[in-house]
Amino acid sequence: MSKTVGVMGCGWLGLPLAEKLLKSGYKVRGTTTSTSKVEQLELAGIKGFKIQLHENAIAGDITNFLSGLDTLIINVPPGLRGNSGSNYVSKINLLLNEIQKAAVKNIVFVSSTSVYGSAEGEITEDTILRPETESGKQLAQSEALFQKENNLNTAIVRFGGLIGRDRHPVNHLAGKKGLKNGDALVNLIHLEDCIQMLITIVQKRYWRTIFNGVYPLHPTKRAYYNNEALKRGLPPPEFESSSSKRNKKLIISKNYLIKLNALYTSIIS
């Protein structure tokens, strides 16, 4: 009998991930926060659950969603833009309690390279975390919640900036003037590589490991976004001249690549 994987958060990344897992032979359950999206999941052959994490409670049938899962992929971003004041750590802690009750053993927690914050130079999974944003700080705390649970097999995946399909930062940056940090390096990853990386971790059972997920090409922001804008017929963004002496942050997916895996989808369109 095929193993059952739960994808918590079937949005821009989670839905195509769930669909690819289904095609790979897994039974798949998925969560969303809307009734219409549950119907979409069901039509795709994914057992859908309407579940929403709150700071003090979990709305929805979390018990049946988690029951009997071999692996749970947690793909629920903090959503802390605009100073929302939301306590993401409390939400994840409540979810962790339900995971323990359901005796789910294998966890993939989708995090972000924002946990490295102001770290400079070559960044690997061994680099000390220095988160600066509220989102980065709460992701780092949430990672720690899973890492301290010795009875769980947790893989943590820290993705860089996500691009793909209808999502690319250049659409937001096009035509803007006076942008800073033009000499900083881009640390991006395409949606297709995100999906393949997560499925590889599940299939090869790379538990109790931290993975950076960043494509191994790092042009400067100035060069990269200018070129991407021109290819799309958009006005290129203008970056200020920089005299910064800081080392450029270059994030390496060391733990994934050292296992003889690869990232295949270029960030160059």
Side-chain angles (χ1 to χ4, degrees):
M1 185 173 70
S2 62
K3 293 179 178 178
T4 304
V5 177
V7 178
M8 188 146 212
C10 289
W12 185 81
L13 167 58
L15 177 56
L17 169 63
E19 292 172 334
K20 188 66 176 290
L21 283 164
L22 195 65
K23 291 178 181 178
S24 299
Y26 292 93
K27 293 181 179 178
V28 184
R29 300 176 194 163
T31 77
T32 179
T33 58
S34 71
T35 302
S36 61
K37 196 67 173 287
V38 170
E39 295 171 357
Q40 182 182 351
L41 293 175
E42 295 285 349
L43 288 172
I46 299 159
K47 179 62 178 175
F49 291 79
K50 183 180 177 182
I51 294 175
Q52 190 163 9
L53 301 181
H54 299 287
E55 294 176 17
N56 300 312
I58 298 177
D61 193 356
I62 189 67
T63 300
N64 278 334
F65 170 68
L66 294 174
S67 178
L69 288 184
D70 177 72
T71 300
L72 173 64
I73 301 173
I74 303 170
N75 177 46
V76 182
L80 296 174
R81 292 180 181 177
N83 298 315
S84 68
S86 176
N87 192 325
Y88 178 74
V89 180
S90 293
K91 297 177 183 179
I92 295 300
N93 198 37
L94 280 178
L95 175 60
L96 178 56
N97 290 336
E98 294 298 328
I99 289 169
Q100 299 280 29
K101 290 178 187 176
V104 180
K105 295 301 180 185
N106 303 317
I107 307 294
V108 181
F109 181 74
V110 177
S111 186
S112 162
T113 54
S114 65
V115 297
Y116 296 117
S118 59
E120 298 180 13
E122 186 174 285
I123 307 298
T124 72
E125 294 86 350
D126 301 318
T127 299
I128 295 174
L129 305 188
R130 296 175 182 173
E132 294 180 328
T133 64
E134 185 60 29
S135 176
K137 291 175 182 177
Q138 293 207 38
L139 279 170
Q141 292 176 55
S142 298
E143 287 184 11
L145 289 177
F146 286 99
Q147 288 174 307
K148 73 179 183 181
E149 296 296 334
N150 294 325
N151 63 325
L152 293 180
N153 297 318
T154 300
I156 292 170
V157 187
R158 297 168 178 161
F159 285 132
L162 305 179
I163 64 171
R165 295 187 179 180
D166 57 348
R167 178 172 177 168
H168 199 291
V170 74
N171 295 319
H172 172 69
L173 297 175
K176 290 193 174 181
K177 303 181 185 297
L179 297 174
K180 301 183 184 299
N181 303 318
D183 294 327
L185 305 179
V186 300
N187 292 282
L188 302 173
I189 184 168
H190 194 280
L191 173 64
E192 295 302 323
D193 273 338
C194 292
I195 293 170
Q196 186 56 47
M197 190 172 181
L198 292 170
I199 290 177
T200 298
I201 290 168
V202 172
Q203 289 178 333
K204 297 189 176 181
R205 306 182 81 78
Y206 289 155
W207 308 128
R208 300 178 183 269
T209 308
I210 298 171
F211 297 94
N212 288 337
V214 175
Y215 190 77
L217 180 65
H218 305 271
T220 65
K221 289 184 177 181
R222 179 180 287 105
Y224 178 72
Y225 290 119
N226 282 356
N227 289 336
E228 292 299 307
L230 292 173
K231 290 175 186 176
R232 292 167 169 77
L234 300 172
E238 296 182 11
F239 289 86
E240 294 179 353
S241 298
S242 174
S243 58
S244 173
K245 302 296 183 182
R246 296 179 65 179
N247 293 325
K248 297 177 180 179
K249 180 188 294 185
L250 190 155
I251 302 175
I252 298 173
S253 305
K254 183 191 73 171
N255 287 347
Y256 189 68
L257 300 177
I258 205 171
K259 295 178 182 293
L260 303 180
N261 300 297
L263 298 170
Y264 297 100
T265 308
S266 177
I267 61 172
I268 303 295
S269 62

